[in-house]
Amino acid sequence: MACPNTGCECSFCFVCLKQRGPNTIKPLTSTLFFFSTELSTVAMATVATILDDIDDKFCQCCLCFKQYEDPRQLPCLHRYCSGCLDEEIQRTHGDLKCPLCQQEADVPEDGAQGLKKDFFMNEIIEFLDIKKSFQDEETHECGDCSKMVKARSYCFKCSEFLCDGCHEYHMTKKSLKEHRPYLLTLQDVKTKNLTLQKLSSLKQAPMCKIHQDDVSRLCCKTCENMPICTACTYGGHKSHEIEDAISLATVKKENLRNQLAILTKSTDKIKQEVKKTLQLQKDVVATADTKIAKLEHDAGEQLNKIGKDLEVVSEERSNAARQTRVKWEGEREQRQQAFGEKMKRRRKKHDEMEHKFESNMDRNIEKSNETYNKKEIKLLSEQGKVEKQLQEGKALISKEKGNKLEKTEGVIVNGKDTIERMQNLIETGSNILVSENNWTAIKNADRVCAASGSLILELDGGFSEIDKVLEYPQVRLSLGGAEKMTVSDMAVEVVIDDIKRKGWFINGVAAAPNGTVVITGGTRQKQAHISVIKLDGEISKQKLIGSNDQNPFCFCAFFRINEFAIATHCNANIGLYNTDNNTYHSTDLCEVINKEVRVWCITADGSNDQIVAGCEDDPVLYVLNGELQLTSTINLPQIVRSPADILVNNGTIFICCESSTSAYAVNMEGGLLYQLPTPDSTNRTLPFSMCTSNRGSVYVLLVESYDTSSVQECVITQYNPDDGSLLTTTPSRAVRGWMATAEIDGAEKLLLPSQFEGMLRVYGLEED
């Protein structure tokens, strides 16, 4: 396949690599490595590889695509022709990196010639040349008789082809008995069962370079493992460190075997990491899709509400205009009937009055239209903001999704490259171990161990992991800050007769979007009660849970459709109550977190499947899912030690802290965002409870004392959750208690139970 840049027949030549720049190195590297791996897989798969299965392509250099000429190995053990490496050294000005794995390599002073020769490839090439001669029936000069004949065998001891006669002579002559183990016959090649192990057994030990008739059976470690004979130990190597070649090869093979075992174990670990990251990629996409779907759902709900509000405004406009006309037309008719005769006599005056009447009516209608025009403009503006924020949020999540996929792809590529490097080392080392030539182990085991040791150290530094890869930025649909709302001065008092008559108390209230109101508290029998109430004081459903010798405080929060999160104080149970079937199930938080605590407050976020519990004198919040399983903990800032009440609003946690007598906002990781200010005009500054409204505001009940038994002056404060700014303050007289908002008859109300009076105070909320 021709290179698209230069037209050369390489498809990824170094000219292209240089021209395309560094961004293309990885893809080119992957292609080269795939090519090299594909060629070598056949021969490297097992140590008992059938050599006849190897074809000529296996011995092709992946730089020049020709058969290796004087193959040399880099420290990473990838092989190339020495000439190709010299060209690469010249091209990179001595800054040599392996073209396959990009591992840096030191360049010897004499260039590629200073790199280690590739023993394995040289043996394979030698075998392929001999095999080709046999298969092509080429004529060779017989090494004994010098006749030009078709060779029958090859003697590795003589390094010569032999004719039939000389082969028989080798097999029968006693003086050539030592040559017989080193004979490769035409029949050996034809049976196609020659393995690398058998090939290595055909190669004799090297001859001594000084005493050329003697076989080297010793190794001089002082002279870089030079093969020597016994006579050498009395000569130039007399004082050197000498070892028996077989013993040294055994030790080196054992070291190599241990190193490969470690490397194999590390390879399995990396494969698991790559597999895990591939799954993580799928989760990244799924999480992003879920986030976008939720964002679209939330925006859809807001847009639907705005659409309904626009319809209401339009209908109210029409009704107001119609009622105005009916009223004025009625008055006109009455006046005309009463003063008909008089008006006839005083037509001029009547016309003047009629004109004035028309003008007044038009002004009233115009004034009414101005009011509704303002409402429409505001709603249309909010609609535009929601649509814009939806698009910006989707773009932000999509961008983050792309970044995360890019990061995980980098981890996967790095992992696969590492696995390929490991496999190359394992395969090379395995071929050394299977070889019966001791000098193969002596000459090569150390550099395989060095290469694998370097890679193992690199892996000990930690495989690239991606922390919090599934976390996305919080996208909030804000309509430009919470609106100022006026809390009505007078409250509607709803007496819950059954609670009051029995002397039970109330310390929790929550409401569902459909208007279902749940109150919780304790009984005289030291049980906790969960009661579903109507706003006429009637109890529609009730559940009694647990028993305790201490005060059975019980708290609640709306979780999701028909389900409320419930927390009991003394026995630290967290549970879910279903208003449809009046069922309750729970878990013991003490057992879950393995320590004794007393739950003091609870909040829930059903859209994110989160129930958050705060405990008395505990600076940690505990997050559970809908299965009541602990999913995480949130360590609060040092200033927040004992939460009295908490709520979650669009990814922000608001906390009433009894120990510091202040209210705070923190993020979902526990980082402090800001402190909520208290009004300067009041001495009621102790935050006791809080709730959020459908319009996004946060309401906090400020008391002058944490005494639970007496009626006292309180202040209801409204805050903008975006920056914590104080919007409104409303004085109230009540026993301290927990608050909630509820949609009642199409209007939002503020609910404030009176703890010991069996009563619920309902306040109206109106735009300021």
Side-chain angles (χ1 to χ4, degrees):
M1 181 172 63
C3 171
N5 277 0
T6 64
C8 63
E9 296 296 325
C10 69
S11 77
F12 37 75
C13 65
F14 287 110
V15 176
C16 307
L17 177 65
K18 187 175 181 181
Q19 289 176 349
R20 294 177 189 175
N23 292 333
T24 62
I25 290 178
K26 273 294 177 184
L28 290 172
T29 300
S30 301
T31 307
L32 284 170
F33 200 87
F34 173 78
F35 178 81
S36 176
T37 305
E38 184 180 39
L39 294 181
S40 61
T41 300
V42 177
M44 295 292 195
T46 66
V47 294
T49 302
I50 304 300
L51 291 174
D52 196 71
D53 292 335
I54 301 175
D55 58 17
D56 294 340
K57 288 185 178 180
F58 172 68
C59 299
Q60 283 184 357
C61 172
C62 63
L63 296 183
C64 65
F65 300 101
K66 298 177 182 178
Q67 180 173 296
Y68 288 108
E69 291 187 11
D70 188 19
R72 302 284 172 154
Q73 282 187 311
L74 296 177
C76 59
L77 302 187
H78 287 127
R79 59 182 64 84
Y80 308 94
C81 302
S82 60
C84 292
L85 284 174
D86 280 329
E87 290 180 8
E88 180 67 2
I89 292 169
Q90 184 177 3
R91 187 187 70 81
T92 59
H93 305 289
D95 186 16
L96 180 61
K97 290 183 179 179
C98 175
L100 294 179
C101 66
Q102 296 296 299
Q103 181 177 330
E104 294 183 358
D106 294 332
V107 179
E109 292 183 1
D110 52 351
Q113 293 301 312
L115 296 170
K116 296 288 186 180
K117 287 190 175 185
D118 187 349
F119 77 96
F120 171 71
M121 188 53 63
N122 280 328
E123 286 186 354
I124 297 297
I125 291 173
E126 183 181 10
F127 165 74
L128 290 178
D129 288 342
I130 296 170
K131 184 185 79 168
K132 188 174 184 301
S133 295
F134 283 144
Q135 290 176 339
D136 295 347
E137 297 186 349
E138 295 176 358
T139 58
H140 291 274
E141 182 179 351
C142 176
D144 278 359
C145 66
S146 300
K147 293 179 181 179
M148 295 299 293
V149 294
K150 294 178 183 179
R152 177 181 174 183
S153 63
Y154 184 86
C155 179
F156 282 92
K157 191 172 182 69
C158 301
S159 298
E160 298 285 358
F161 285 97
L162 301 175
C163 64
D164 287 344
C166 294
H167 171 76
E168 292 299 328
Y169 186 74
H170 263 64
M171 296 299 292
T172 57
K173 189 68 173 177
K174 289 185 178 181
S175 61
L176 296 176
K177 182 179 179 180
E178 292 184 356
H179 288 233
R180 293 170 194 166
Y182 306 110
L183 285 174
L184 176 66
T185 67
L186 177 60
Q187 187 62 31
D188 291 330
V189 175
K190 285 182 177 181
T191 55
K192 297 184 178 181
N193 62 355
L194 184 63
T195 63
L196 178 63
Q197 184 176 10
K198 185 174 181 181
L199 178 63
S200 65
S201 67
L202 297 175
K203 308 296 287 290
Q204 70 166 347
M207 305 302 290
C208 178
K209 292 184 178 180
I210 299 174
H211 310 92
Q212 297 181 2
D213 293 332
D214 293 338
V215 175
S216 299
R217 303 185 188 279
L218 301 175
C219 176
C220 179
K221 297 182 69 176
T222 306
C223 298
E224 298 182 352
N225 292 334
M226 177 185 291
I228 61 173
C229 63
T230 305
C232 291
T233 61
Y234 298 97
H237 299 272
K238 183 176 182 180
S239 59
H240 293 184
E241 184 179 358
I242 309 297
E243 273 202 48
D244 176 68
I246 296 176
S247 301
L248 182 60
T250 301
V251 171
K252 289 187 178 294
K253 282 187 176 183
E254 185 60 29
N255 291 339
L256 179 58
R257 190 174 288 106
N258 294 336
Q259 196 79 348
L260 293 182
I262 297 172
L263 199 60
T264 301
K265 186 177 179 181
S266 298
T267 303
D268 294 338
K269 178 183 176 183
I270 298 298
K271 286 180 179 177
Q272 288 300 317
E273 292 289 347
V274 171
K275 182 179 179 181
K276 172 184 171 184
T277 308
L278 285 168
Q279 180 59 46
L280 205 57
Q281 274 192 330
K282 296 179 182 178
D283 294 343
V284 164
V285 175
T287 303
D289 292 344
T290 302
K291 290 283 184 181
I292 290 176
K294 182 180 182 301
L295 189 62
E296 289 176 338
H297 175 268
D298 293 345
E301 287 187 342
Q302 289 202 23
L303 291 174
N304 286 337
K305 185 177 183 302
I306 291 171
K308 291 178 181 179
D309 290 345
L310 282 170
E311 292 175 2
V312 170
V313 169
S314 178
E315 186 177 352
E316 288 178 350
R317 178 203 296 271
S318 300
N319 291 339
R322 184 169 56 253
Q323 291 170 4
T324 301
R325 289 188 182 278
V326 169
K327 176 184 175 183
W328 287 84
E329 291 292 346
E331 290 181 3
R332 169 190 286 172
E333 185 177 351
Q334 291 175 7
R335 191 173 65 253
Q336 285 176 345
Q337 290 176 355
F339 302 101
E341 292 299 326
K342 189 176 180 179
M343 287 178 66
K344 289 179 182 178
R345 294 191 297 268
R346 301 177 65 181
R347 175 61 60 184
K348 184 178 180 180
K349 187 174 181 179
H350 169 76
D351 289 343
E352 290 175 354
M353 291 177 66
E354 189 72 13
H355 177 71
K356 184 178 180 181
F357 171 81
E358 292 283 353
S359 298
N360 287 339
M361 183 177 67
D362 290 341
R363 278 197 298 272
N364 274 274
I365 292 175
E366 184 179 351
K367 185 177 181 181
S368 176
N369 282 336
E370 287 178 358
T371 300
Y372 290 112
N373 284 339
K374 288 180 180 178
K375 288 184 177 181
E376 283 184 343
I377 291 171
K378 181 179 179 182
L379 287 170
L380 290 171
S381 174
E382 290 179 353
Q383 187 180 48
K385 288 179 181 178
V386 170
E387 290 172 347
K388 181 181 178 182
Q389 290 169 1
L390 172 62
Q391 295 305 318
E392 290 176 348
K394 289 171 67 175
L396 179 62
I397 292 173
S398 296
K399 181 180 178 181
E400 189 67 17
K401 170 185 170 183
N403 292 338
K404 292 178 184 299
L405 288 176
E406 184 178 347
K407 288 181 181 179
T408 54
E409 186 62 29
V411 172
I412 292 169
V413 170
N414 180 44
K416 288 183 177 179
D417 287 348
T418 303
I419 290 171
E420 289 169 342
R421 289 170 59 191
M422 289 175 160
Q423 288 175 336
N424 181 47
L425 289 171
I426 291 170
E427 290 160 355
T428 304
S430 298
N431 288 322
I432 293 173
L433 292 176
V434 79
S435 174
E436 295 186 2
N437 189 326
N438 291 322
W439 290 101
T440 295
I442 293 171
K443 287 292 186 181
N444 298 283
D446 285 345
R447 55 193 172 103
V448 176
C449 286
S452 60
S454 174
L455 184 55
I456 290 169
L457 286 176
E458 182 181 325
L459 295 175
D460 287 342
F463 184 72
S464 298
E465 294 182 355
I466 301 179
D467 295 329
K468 301 181 179 179
V469 74
L470 295 180
E471 293 186 4
Y472 281 84
Q474 184 73 29
V475 179
R476 299 172 61 177
L477 297 174
S478 171
L479 299 180
E483 299 176 355
K484 288 187 177 182
M485 303 294 292
T486 300
V487 181
S488 59
D489 295 332
M490 299 298 294
V492 176
E493 295 183 345
V494 179
V495 178
I496 308 166
D497 291 330
D498 190 58
I499 300 290
K500 186 173 183 177
R501 186 179 64 256
K502 294 177 179 178
W504 294 1
F505 63 87
I506 306 169
N507 53 22
V509 61
N514 62 6
T516 301
V517 177
V518 168
I519 59 172
T520 55
T523 72
R524 289 183 176 275
Q525 291 74 35
K526 305 299 183 183
Q527 288 181 295
H529 73 83
I530 307 170
S531 304
V532 181
I533 66 168
K534 299 178 181 179
L535 289 181
D536 59 1
E538 180 185 348
I539 294 177
S540 61
K541 292 177 183 176
Q542 193 171 76
K543 188 80 173 177
L544 299 179
I545 56 174
S547 61
N548 199 295
D549 293 336
Q550 304 181 56
N551 290 330
F553 290 110
C554 185
F555 313 100
C556 59
F558 173 71
F559 181 45
R560 55 194 175 196
I561 298 176
N562 303 323
E563 282 192 307
F564 287 75
I566 306 295
T568 54
H569 173 59
C570 294
N571 56 7
N573 276 351
I574 305 293
L576 287 174
Y577 172 70
N578 189 298
T579 57
D580 269 359
N581 52 30
N582 198 34
T583 58
Y584 171 78
H585 66 282
S586 65
T587 187
D588 188 334
L589 184 62
C590 296
E591 292 183 0
V592 171
I593 63 176
N594 197 28
K595 74 174 183 178
E596 291 295 323
V597 292
R598 292 188 174 187
V599 181
W600 195 241
C601 48
I602 191 168
T603 186
D605 180 3
S607 60
N608 289 314
D609 195 34
Q610 291 178 329
I611 300 171
V612 185
C615 299
E616 189 175 13
D617 298 323
D618 189 351
V620 178
L621 299 182
Y622 302 95
V623 184
L624 295 83
N625 59 20
E627 303 298 322
L628 301 181
Q629 299 167 330
L630 185 70
T631 58
S632 64
T633 57
I634 302 172
N635 293 312
L636 296 175
Q638 189 172 1
I639 196 171
V640 184
R641 297 289 89 186
S642 183
D645 198 15
I646 55 176
L647 70 86
V648 176
N649 184 358
N650 282 333
T652 300
I653 303 175
F654 293 87
I655 305 170
C656 288
C657 180
E658 188 172 331
S659 60
S660 62
T661 65
S662 297
Y664 303 94
V666 302
N667 57 31
M668 295 303 291
E669 289 75 41
L672 181 64
L673 299 177
Y674 51 80
Q675 179 179 341
L676 296 176
T678 54
D680 296 329
S681 58
T682 178
N683 61 351
R684 268 75 72 188
T685 59
L686 306 178
F688 180 73
S689 64
M690 53 178 47
C691 65
T692 185
S693 72
N694 292 337
R695 296 173 180 265
S697 298
V698 172
Y699 291 95
V700 179
L701 180 67
L702 301 178
V703 298
E704 59 184 348
S705 167
Y706 284 131
D707 178 17
T708 63
S709 60
S710 61
V711 175
Q712 56 180 289
E713 296 296 330
C714 305
V715 172
I716 300 171
T717 52
Q718 179 199 11
Y719 296 93
N720 183 346
D722 291 337
D723 56 11
S725 57
L726 179 64
L727 298 179
T728 62
T729 61
T730 303
S732 175
R733 182 169 176 77
V735 176
R736 77 166 194 182
W738 284 260
M739 298 191 300
T741 56
E743 195 80 18
I744 300 173
D745 297 330
E748 193 170 30
K749 307 290 184 181
L750 186 67
L751 310 181
L752 182 60
S754 184
Q755 193 166 14
F756 299 106
E757 296 178 301
M759 180 189 299
L760 187 67
R761 289 181 171 87
V762 182
Y763 293 86
L765 296 175
E766 298 177 356
E767 285 190 39
D768 194 357

